[in-house]
Amino acid sequence: MQHALDSLDPAVRSALDVAIENVRVFHEHQLRSEEVIEREGMTIRAFQRSVRRAGLYVPGGRAVYPSTVIMTAVPARVAGVDEIALCVPPDRETGRVAPVVLAAARLAGVDEVYAVGGAQAIAAMAYGTDLVAAVDVIAGPGNVYVALAKQQVAGDVGIAAAFAGPSEVVVVADASATPEFAAIDVIVQAEHGPDGLAWLVTWDEAVADAVCAAGDAYLEHSPRANDVRSTLAEGGYVALVDNRDAAVAVIDAIAPEHLELQIEDAETMGRQVRNAGAIFCGHLAPASVGDYIAGPSHVLPTFGSARFASALTVTDFVRDHHIVTIRQSAIDSLGPHVMTLADVEGLAAHSESVRLRLS
């Protein structure tokens, strides 16, 4: 890791530093200080404590993702995790992890890097091997095999955030949108490869035609045109809806990982949407900014899990603890209520444990 960092291009180092600082500042605001509640003779202390060891998964193979190292390691480090291990697929030709990923790992505070990917990496972190020590929590996105593997080991190990699988985007555009902006932002997520979803939603048929034409024009010279076309063939959609309310209904039904609102009064619709991993409002807010430097983690819920889950945060690496101290006055005033509830539930020993303590 250190050798990769020492050899890093200065411009890349600068970009990584900016990204890490933005992500760190955002996640530090999620930390909660200890709270002390005094009530009726009881003292309750509520505080957060981090897990000891976290395992991070960063995809590889089709592309390298130093950004995902940052988006997973920085929240874990801010949370206070003692040990951070990273699994990343090695390059198919060299068998090595990309130097920029190693450099990002050093800057973001990763302790260990293992050149292993796929479902087997998830198993290694969950259960341990001769080389990889088991972790308490696993975080990070991956392909459908990685995401399903995390579901399999859930319960034996903590699985942070949501079903973080293949990339998804819904771009909502109206007549105020720039077709080239909307088209490229649909393509951005399709660029990640197969199994993803890329939607354009509009209530203006002329907008739909213009965005599709702009997308076709871009793909004529895109270096990843084959990946994009493959994804769009399986998961690319144009949804022509009646109005803004219908667009919100479509969004909530899809529950996309990324949502871009390239429309007038975008923030109003953003507040109306219930199900989305991350929302980007306005014509100058592509999801790419969120992928790298906005601050919130780009590890987001996919496959409809935004209905009940959210982005990776510090809270994925901490547990909420509480300590209860009770004085005699509280036992005397509250104890009879405890006894009543215990008796209703037929738990005689519960009731007796309080009766014995009454003045």
Side-chain angles (χ1 to χ4, degrees):
M1 287 188 281
Q2 188 61 48
H3 176 71
L5 182 58
D6 292 341
S7 307
L8 196 62
D9 179 277
V12 178
R13 169 67 186 265
S14 178
L16 291 175
D17 285 337
V18 169
I20 289 171
E21 178 66 8
N22 286 1
V23 175
R24 181 188 62 78
V25 169
F26 176 83
H27 286 87
E28 282 180 343
H29 284 281
Q30 296 170 349
L31 289 174
R32 194 171 69 243
S33 58
E34 181 174 317
E35 297 177 354
V36 180
I37 302 169
E38 296 282 355
R39 180 175 173 81
E40 297 185 47
M42 294 186 296
T43 300
I44 304 170
R45 298 182 182 276
F47 57 95
Q48 294 176 322
R49 178 169 291 164
S50 69
V51 300
R52 186 187 68 83
R53 182 172 169 83
L56 310 179
Y57 187 88
V58 170
R62 291 178 173 272
V64 295
Y65 295 104
S67 59
T68 303
V69 176
I70 293 169
M71 297 294 181
T72 52
V74 172
R77 189 54 74 197
V78 169
V81 175
D82 295 336
E83 299 174 5
I84 300 177
L86 169 65
C87 283
V88 56
D91 181 83
R92 295 176 184 271
E93 300 298 325
T94 66
R96 296 181 179 275
V97 174
V100 69
V101 170
L102 294 175
R106 174 62 81 197
L107 289 171
V110 171
D111 299 298
E112 309 157 25
V113 178
Y114 299 98
V116 56
Q120 58 270 32
I122 302 303
M125 291 190 286
Y127 302 115
T129 72
D130 292 341
L131 179 66
V132 183
V135 303
D136 302 307
V137 169
I138 297 175
N143 63 20
V144 67
Y145 299 103
V146 169
L148 290 172
K150 288 195 291 182
Q151 286 189 331
Q152 290 292 314
V153 302
D156 294 330
V157 66
I159 300 299
F163 188 95
S167 192
E168 302 171 346
V169 69
V170 169
V171 176
V172 182
D174 64 9
S176 70
T178 300
E180 289 75 15
F181 290 1
I184 194 65
D185 291 352
V186 169
I187 288 170
V188 161
Q189 301 307 322
E191 187 175 49
H192 284 290
D195 301 317
L197 292 177
W199 284 67
L200 172 69
V201 177
T202 183
W203 45 91
D204 188 323
E205 190 167 355
V207 170
D209 291 339
V211 173
C212 288
D216 289 337
Y218 175 80
L219 289 178
E220 291 298 322
H221 57 84
S222 168
R224 300 179 69 92
N226 290 338
D227 284 338
V228 172
R229 288 193 172 99
S230 175
T231 301
L232 293 178
E234 297 293 329
Y237 298 89
V238 176
L240 188 64
V241 297
D242 290 333
N243 49 44
R244 290 171 63 105
D245 290 340
V248 172
V250 170
I251 293 164
D252 282 339
I254 299 168
E257 177 189 21
H258 304 92
L259 171 63
E260 292 191 25
L261 302 178
Q262 298 185 25
I263 58 175
E264 293 180 340
D265 198 14
E267 290 197 11
T268 296
M269 181 179 284
R271 294 279 186 174
Q272 293 172 328
V273 170
R274 187 179 295 271
N275 303 332
I279 302 175
F280 300 87
C281 288
H283 306 299
L284 299 179
S288 298
V289 175
D291 285 343
Y292 295 107
I293 61 168
S297 177
H298 75 200
V299 181
L300 299 166
T302 67
F303 205 63
S305 60
R307 293 182 298 108
F308 53 82
S310 53
L312 182 75
T313 68
V314 164
T315 58
D316 289 301
F317 300 101
V318 300
R319 286 92 25 92
D320 286 325
H321 289 253
H322 63 267
I323 297 174
V324 179
T325 304
I326 301 178
R327 293 180 282 281
Q328 188 65 53
S329 60
I331 283 288
D332 291 341
S333 63
L334 299 176
H337 298 304
V338 176
M339 295 167 61
T340 296
L341 293 173
D343 291 340
V344 167
E345 293 185 351
L347 300 174
H350 283 63
S351 181
E352 184 68 3
S353 72
V354 172
R355 189 192 67 78
L356 289 172
R357 290 173 165 82
L358 295 174
S359 294

